[in-house]
Amino acid sequence: MRHLSSSIPRKLVFPALFSLGATAFPLAAASDDAKQIAQRHADNWTQTLEAAQGEDIMELYASSKPTVIFPSGRVVDSQPELENFWHGFLDSKGAKTRMTVADAHFNSTGGREQSNVVVAKYLVVRENQRRPYLFTLNKTQWRLDTVLTRQTNGQWKTQLQNWH
C-alpha cells in the first residue's frame, strides 16, 4: 500500500505549504492586534475603576447608545442608568478589580473582517482588599463579553457589555 504523500510530487508540496503559511500569518497578526486592543481597553478600565471616578468610567463607553446587559438579564442603555450603576459599584470601598483578556478578535460579517469592531471576552475578578482570603466570598468573578468600536478619533470604546 502506497502512502498518499508519496504520490504527490515534493515540488508541489513545499510551495503549497509556503503559501498556506503566508496566508495564515496575517490572520495571526490581526488576531494579535485585536488582543492588544482588548488588553489596552482592559487596562484603561482597571485604572479607571481603581481611581473610583464614575465620570471617567462613562468616558470608556461609546457615545452612540452603549448597552450593558447585567447577569440578571436587565438591559441598560441610558447614560443616567449606567452612571447610577457605576456609582453604586464604586461605593464598595476596599475592593480591587482585575480584567483579564480571555479572547479577542476583529468581528467578521459576511466573511469579511471589520477592522473597526473588536469582540472581546474577559474574566473580571473583584476582590475585597480589606480582608483578603478570609472567606471565599471575598472574591466575585464574572465573564464579560464586550464589543469595542473604533471611534472617529481613533479611540476604542465600549459599545456593548454582557456580564455573566
Side-chain angles (χ1 to χ4, degrees), residues 15-129:
L17 288 175
F18 179 74
S19 68
L20 176 64
T23 59
F25 288 118
L27 295 176
S31 176
D32 287 345
D33 290 344
K35 287 179 182 169
Q36 290 173 359
I37 291 165
Q39 184 59 57
R40 280 193 303 272
H41 199 69
D43 294 344
N44 288 341
W45 271 95
T46 300
Q47 290 169 2
T48 304
L49 289 170
E50 284 179 6
Q53 299 297 320
E55 298 77 27
D56 293 342
I57 289 175
M58 294 310 299
E59 291 295 317
L60 298 173
Y61 285 104
S63 56
S64 61
K65 194 140 176 139
T67 303
V68 177
I69 304 168
F70 295 102
S72 65
R74 180 174 166 229
V75 177
V76 173
D77 60 3
S78 75
Q79 185 167 345
E81 285 181 295
L82 284 172
E83 286 174 351
N84 189 35
F85 165 75
W86 284 111
H87 282 293
F89 188 87
L90 295 173
D91 282 344
S92 56
K93 304 282 187 225
K96 185 172 180 79
T97 304
R98 279 189 332 270
M99 291 178 72
T100 306
V101 178
D103 186 35
H105 61 275
F106 289 104
N107 190 47
S108 60
T109 180
R112 298 182 75 176
E113 191 174 82
Q114 293 177 299
S115 61
N116 62 338
V117 179
V118 170
V119 178
K121 295 179 183 291
Y122 298 98
L123 176 63
V124 181
V125 177
R126 186 161 171 83
E127 192 169 342
N128 186 338
Q129 296 297 303

Side-chain angles (χ1 to χ4, degrees), residues 107-155:
N107 190 47
S108 60
T109 180
R112 298 182 75 176
E113 191 174 82
Q114 293 177 299
S115 61
N116 62 338
V117 179
V118 170
V119 178
K121 295 179 183 291
Y122 298 98
L123 176 63
V124 181
V125 177
R126 186 161 171 83
E127 192 169 342
N128 186 338
Q129 296 297 303
R130 290 187 185 181
R131 294 184 175 255
Y133 311 114
L134 184 60
F135 299 104
T136 56
L137 297 176
N138 262 8
K139 191 187 292 186
T140 308
Q141 287 188 185
W142 298 277
R143 284 179 305 133
L144 175 62
D145 299 332
T146 303
V147 175
L148 307 173
T149 55
R150 185 179 8 219
Q151 307 300 292
T152 54
N153 64 4
Q155 292 181 331

